Amino acid sequence: MTVFDKSIELHRKHRGKIAITGKTPLANQEDLSLIYTPGVAEPCRRIAENEDDVYLYTSKGSMIAVISDGSAVLGLGDIGPKAAIPVMEGKAVLFKTLGNIDAIPICLDTQDTEELIKTIKYLAPSFGGINLEDIAAPRCFEIEARLKKELDIPVFHDDQHGTAVCVVGGLINAHKVVSKDMAESSIVINGAGAAGIAIARLLLAYGARHITMVDIKGIVNRDNPETMLNKGHEDIAKDTNHGKKNGNLADAMKGADVFIGVSRPGLVTKEMVASMNEKAIVLAMANPTPEIFPDEAIEGGAAVVGTGRPDFPNMINNISAFPGILRGALEVRASDINSEMNLAASIALANAVPADKLSATNIFPEPLDMTVPDIVAKAVSDAARKTGVARI
Amino acid sequence: MTVFDKSIELHRKHRGKIAITGKTPLANQEDLSLIYTPGVAEPCRRIAENEDDVYLYTSKGSMIAVISDGSAVLGLGDIGPKAAIPVMEGKAVLFKTLGNIDAIPICLDTQDTEELIKTIKYLAPSFGGINLEDIAAPRCFEIEARLKKELDIPVFHDDQHGTAVCVVGGLINAHKVVSKDMAESSIVINGAGAAGIAIARLLLAYGARHITMVDIKGIVNRDNPETMLNKGHEDIAKDTNHGKKNGNLADAMKGADVFIGVSRPGLVTKEMVASMNEKAIVLAMANPTPEIFPDEAIEGGAAVVGTGRPDFPNMINNISAFPGILRGALEVRASDINSEMNLAASIALANAVPADKLSATNIFPEPLDMTVPDIVAKAVSDAARKTGVARI
């Protein structure tokens, strides 16, 4: 049986993956009078008097919504809200198991940017945070930016920032392994979509200075309008490719120290890796089939290779980031998840690999390492306090 | 300690009343590959191909949204979405414990009718049904009517229909106790709001013919425009008070067989009950303080008295209805909850009190009788099949 057959069997057997449970007893009339009428009127009254008491008397403080419009689900694309539910339920299981966060999967039946923003704002009172998921670019940028500005609870777009946090975390360790300095590295990011741009931004925040973005029209160059397909490209072009290079992916990779792929299967050849600088780092994140398989990249001379796959060393997966990031934000009732918090998560992830275990085939924590979420959460809540977005 | 102090303590201790749990194991890399990537792509693909498969591979079929705008919460009124959360979480615990339904509390930050309708439609893909709760009249009528028409999943406004199902169930048994025929009874309903009108409609469906509605302007009379305050009054006036009586509540109650109060504390006196027909039935449902206390009503000559309170006989509470009704609807994937299904629930509730136990002080099942939801669910799903709204 393939993983797909087994997955279908599991989903059919359980009819989905999540359930609600009561945290309070309900065995007799007295229990009923406390959790429901008449007793429940009292927490209602207190919250009506002081809105912040909602964190004391309800589940809001540990509950988030995992929201998608079904427009960019895994590699499957625009499959609609119903077909997106299995992914959101899976995410909810991960949030619970790894972050002790109660995540509610909500798949919305609209793909209109303004309607999505408005709907998520209407939903906000019940939730301590919002995790946006599998929403197509460029819509996802506008939705995230507006919600971050207009809501007082943290909003996190995992496809952007979860990926960025993990890639940067892995890259920090990869640089240690090859004894290079990220500030000096020449970094090529293939795929200037939601994830690629977020990776570039977080790398810049960390101190990287030489980033080249590549997309379907080639190297993104602020002086070459043909290569800037949308507002996201225009913005990131200002801070990348300072040499104003033109060309295709192969041109970009020549002499580069780092290749990061958040694009499509098989775009990178052994020869392209061979054209990179010595001790090259290759993070080929296309899922489930990477831009280049690790054995080929190594044949091409790469010193460190990571992918999103469990069947090769250096699996780099968002699972290591999002439970801890949201947990850290919820714990201090952060009003935002800012880039300092994301960067703190990256550094925490890098440091979660002990120095004596760090190697070319071990740059990143195991995806189900249950110690990681706490480490990340602590770093994130500290960063929230330092940057003034913590509310408790 | 009062029930309110105890309730605050319980809410504070547990930080709310509900949590998410995973139904599937997540202990190792293989589990991860089945519930999340890459395996999860398969249920996504199947649902994308055949939308109805969403019921096979996700929690949709047992998951409902409990939705409020916080505009008419308990007796507290318009306390807003955050302050409404404790009630919705309490309801979720009841749905789970009594109906094995996974109910998600969602308190929306808008009170605009059209925005509420649109938002709930956007939310629908994730849920097998919608339970509307504590939404003010007359907005709640429009919202319910539109959603019932425009959604293919069942929509239930508990404040209307849950109350109606229980009151009619209790009334069926009260009539048995006093050996009267509902079709001949003169029935006064005080409070022509959401619940009162739903009770009148369900009584008409059962076969009652002599109903008089009373509201703050007195007896609702189709020939007296002053007594018809809104569209709800205009509609129900066509089917009630065929004698076109005018007057106040005291006038209405003279000679009546049944008083049903869904109004305010203390509106009914012993003398008003004494003016009713012999073997009068009084269901004083105002919560937590009834229109008249049972001892006074009995002094006034009432033969059967019910309230919403646990400290008197004949507690009539929606808890007996909503878990079974929604369970029955979900089990057959009903596209609607129609009046035949509601009436079947009323009759099932009445029959849940065994004939040899039936008495003036025992007309209704105990609120936490765990056998009741199954009995109600069976009746409701049978009625769904008979009326052609069942889809499996």
Side-chain angles (χ1 to χ4, degrees):
Chain A
M1 254 169 81
T2 68
V3 65
F4 299 116
D5 293 334
K6 282 188 192 166
S7 179
I8 279 292
E9 195 174 73
L10 173 125
H11 283 81
R12 191 192 289 266
K13 177 180 163 198
H14 294 281
R15 291 277 161 121
K17 290 171 291 200
I18 58 160
I20 286 284
T21 48
K23 295 196 279 191
T24 53
L26 174 56
N28 54 45
Q29 187 61 51
E30 194 191 355
D31 294 340
L32 183 59
S33 70
L34 300 184
I35 69 164
Y36 206 57
T37 56
V40 73
E42 191 58 23
C44 293
R45 271 192 288 261
R46 301 247 183 134
I47 299 166
E49 270 167 34
N50 177 15
E51 220 176 49
D52 264 2
D53 280 3
V54 70
Y55 287 98
L56 293 183
Y57 304 125
T58 78
S59 305
K60 180 182 171 88
S62 65
M63 192 161 272
I64 66 167
V66 175
I67 299 181
S68 182
D69 66 352
S71 60
V73 181
L74 306 176
L76 305 170
D78 184 3
I79 58 175
K82 285 181 185 166
I85 297 176
V87 176
M88 305 310 136
E89 290 194 3
K91 197 101 185 185
V93 174
L94 301 179
F95 266 119
K96 185 68 189 184
T97 309
L98 292 157
N100 198 24
I101 290 168
D102 299 302
I104 310 286
I106 294 182
C107 294
L108 294 172
D109 198 9
T110 175
Q111 295 188 350
D112 180 278
T113 301
E114 290 303 320
E115 292 296 295
L116 284 165
I117 292 169
K118 207 164 53 172
T119 301
I120 296 168
K121 287 173 67 178
Y122 291 152
L123 289 168
S126 300
F127 299 103
I130 303 288
N131 183 92
L132 302 173
E133 193 79 21
D134 291 357
I135 299 176
R139 188 191 308 151
C140 63
F141 301 116
E142 169 80 5
I143 292 171
E144 191 212 9
R146 288 272 301 283
L147 290 175
K148 280 173 91 81
K149 199 161 64 182
E150 297 173 28
L151 286 177
D152 64 349
I153 55 174
V155 176
F156 188 75
H157 185 201
D158 188 45
D159 304 296
Q160 290 182 63
H161 306 297
T163 305
V165 163
C166 292
V167 165
V168 174
L171 215 49
I172 291 170
N173 275 349
H175 276 77
K176 291 182 205 161
V177 168
V178 299
S179 302
K180 288 186 185 181
D181 179 357
M182 188 113 66
E184 305 305 324
S185 273
S186 162
I187 301 170
V188 172
I189 301 174
N190 194 44
I197 290 173
I199 292 167
R201 289 268 166 235
L202 200 59
L203 284 172
L204 290 167
Y206 182 75
R209 296 182 301 159
H210 311 295
I211 300 175
T212 304
M213 309 290 301
V214 185
D215 208 88
I216 46 171
K217 295 287 183 184
I219 296 172
V220 176
N221 177 359
R222 76 193 81 149
D223 282 359
N224 184 351
E226 271 180 32
T227 66
M228 286 184 289
L229 303 178
N230 56 49
K231 177 114 190 338
H233 288 185
E234 285 164 25
D235 288 344
I236 199 66
K238 292 174 194 156
D239 299 311
T240 57
N241 188 16
H242 298 299
K244 299 178 184 175
K245 266 204 293 191
N246 285 313
N248 60 21
L249 175 60
D251 298 324
M253 286 178 70
K254 273 174 202 145
D257 296 285
V258 176
F259 168 83
I260 299 166
V262 278
S263 45
R264 290 196 310 285
L267 293 182
V268 173
T269 63
K270 190 166 58 179
E271 289 70 30
M272 287 156 79
V273 174
S275 78
M276 295 175 74
N277 196 0
E278 59 177 8
K279 296 189 194 165
I281 299 165
V282 171
L283 302 183
M285 306 300 295
N287 220 338
T289 308
E291 286 82 355
I292 181 167
F293 274 94
D295 44 1
E296 278 187 286
I298 287 163
E299 279 177 40
V304 182
V305 186
T307 66
R309 292 175 65 106
D311 47 353
F312 293 103
N314 296 330
M315 177 189 189
I316 295 175
N317 191 302
N318 294 20
I319 289 168
S320 302
F322 62 78
I325 293 173
L326 270 296
R327 167 50 54 205
L330 291 176
E331 271 172 8
V332 296
R333 283 186 215 161
S335 57
D336 189 20
I337 296 175
N338 55 38
S339 67
E340 289 86 351
M341 292 157 77
N342 284 330
L343 203 54
S346 292
I347 295 167
L349 281 174
N351 291 337
V353 181
D356 61 331
K357 297 274 174 60
L358 188 62
S359 75
T361 54
N362 191 35
I363 59 166
F364 203 72
E366 289 294 314
L368 291 177
D369 182 337
M370 296 292 172
T371 66
V372 165
D374 282 351
I375 294 169
V376 171
K378 173 78 171 54
V380 167
S381 54
D382 286 349
R385 284 204 189 87
K386 266 182 216 152
T387 52
V389 300
R391 285 181 297 180
I392 55 168
Chain B
M1 258 171 76
T2 68
V3 66
F4 298 116
D5 294 333
K6 283 188 193 167
S7 179
I8 280 291
E9 197 175 71
L10 173 126
H11 282 81
R12 191 192 288 268
K13 178 178 162 198
H14 295 282
R15 293 278 162 118
K17 290 171 292 200
I18 58 161
I20 286 283
T21 47
K23 296 195 278 191
T24 52
L26 173 57
N28 53 44
Q29 187 61 51
E30 194 191 355
D31 293 340
L32 183 60
S33 71
L34 300 183
I35 69 164
Y36 205 57
T37 54
V40 73
E42 190 59 24
C44 293
R45 269 192 289 263
R46 299 247 183 134
I47 298 167
E49 269 168 36
N50 177 14
E51 221 177 46
D52 264 1
D53 280 2
V54 70
Y55 287 98
L56 293 184
Y57 304 124
T58 78
S59 304
K60 180 181 171 90
S62 64
M63 191 161 274
I64 66 167
V66 175
I67 298 181
S68 182
D69 65 353
S71 59
V73 180
L74 306 175
L76 305 170
D78 184 3
I79 58 175
K82 285 181 186 166
I85 298 174
V87 176
M88 304 312 135
E89 289 193 4
K91 197 102 185 184
V93 175
L94 301 179
F95 266 119
K96 186 67 191 187
T97 311
L98 292 156
N100 196 23
I101 290 167
D102 299 303
I104 309 286
I106 294 181
C107 294
L108 294 172
D109 198 10
T110 176
Q111 294 188 350
D112 180 277
T113 301
E114 289 302 321
E115 291 295 295
L116 284 165
I117 292 169
K118 208 164 53 171
T119 301
I120 296 167
K121 287 173 67 178
Y122 290 154
L123 288 168
S126 299
F127 299 103
I130 303 287
N131 182 91
L132 302 172
E133 193 79 21
D134 292 357
I135 298 175
R139 187 191 311 151
C140 63
F141 301 117
E142 169 80 4
I143 292 170
E144 191 212 9
R146 289 271 300 283
L147 289 175
K148 280 172 91 82
K149 199 160 65 181
E150 296 174 27
L151 286 178
D152 64 349
I153 55 173
V155 177
F156 188 74
H157 185 201
D158 187 46
D159 304 297
Q160 292 181 60
H161 306 296
T163 305
V165 163
C166 291
V167 165
V168 173
L171 215 50
I172 290 169
N173 275 349
H175 276 78
K176 290 182 205 161
V177 169
V178 299
S179 302
K180 288 186 183 179
D181 179 356
M182 186 111 67
E184 305 304 326
S185 275
S186 161
I187 300 170
V188 173
I189 301 174
N190 193 44
I197 290 174
I199 293 167
R201 289 269 165 234
L202 199 59
L203 284 172
L204 290 166
Y206 183 74
R209 295 181 303 158
H210 312 294
I211 299 175
T212 305
M213 309 291 299
V214 186
D215 208 88
I216 46 170
K217 297 286 184 185
I219 295 171
V220 176
N221 177 358
R222 75 192 83 151
D223 282 359
N224 182 351
E226 272 178 32
T227 67
M228 284 183 290
L229 303 179
N230 55 50
K231 178 117 194 327
H233 288 185
E234 284 165 26
D235 287 345
I236 200 65
K238 292 175 194 156
D239 298 311
T240 57
N241 188 17
H242 297 298
K244 298 178 185 175
K245 266 206 289 191
N246 284 313
N248 60 21
L249 175 59
D251 298 326
M253 286 178 69
K254 275 174 202 146
D257 296 284
V258 175
F259 168 83
I260 298 166
V262 276
S263 44
R264 288 194 312 283
L267 293 182
V268 173
T269 64
K270 189 166 61 182
E271 290 70 30
M272 287 156 80
V273 174
S275 78
M276 294 175 72
N277 196 0
E278 58 177 7
K279 297 189 195 164
I281 299 164
V282 172
L283 302 184
M285 305 300 297
N287 220 341
T289 309
E291 285 82 356
I292 182 168
F293 274 94
D295 45 2
E296 279 188 285
I298 286 163
E299 279 177 40
V304 182
V305 185
T307 66
R309 291 175 66 106
D311 47 352
F312 293 103
N314 295 331
M315 177 189 189
I316 294 174
N317 190 302
N318 294 19
I319 289 168
S320 303
F322 62 77
I325 293 172
L326 268 296
R327 167 53 49 206
L330 291 177
E331 272 172 7
V332 296
R333 282 186 213 161
S335 57
D336 190 18
I337 295 176
N338 55 37
S339 66
E340 289 85 351
M341 291 157 77
N342 285 330
L343 203 54
S346 292
I347 294 166
L349 281 174
N351 291 338
V353 181
D356 60 333
K357 297 274 171 63
L358 188 63
S359 75
T361 54
N362 190 35
I363 60 167
F364 203 72
E366 289 294 314
L368 291 177
D369 182 338
M370 297 290 172
T371 66
V372 166
D374 281 352
I375 294 170
V376 172
K378 173 77 169 58
V380 168
S381 54
D382 286 350
R385 284 203 190 88
K386 264 181 217 151
T387 54
V389 299
R391 286 181 296 179
I392 55 169

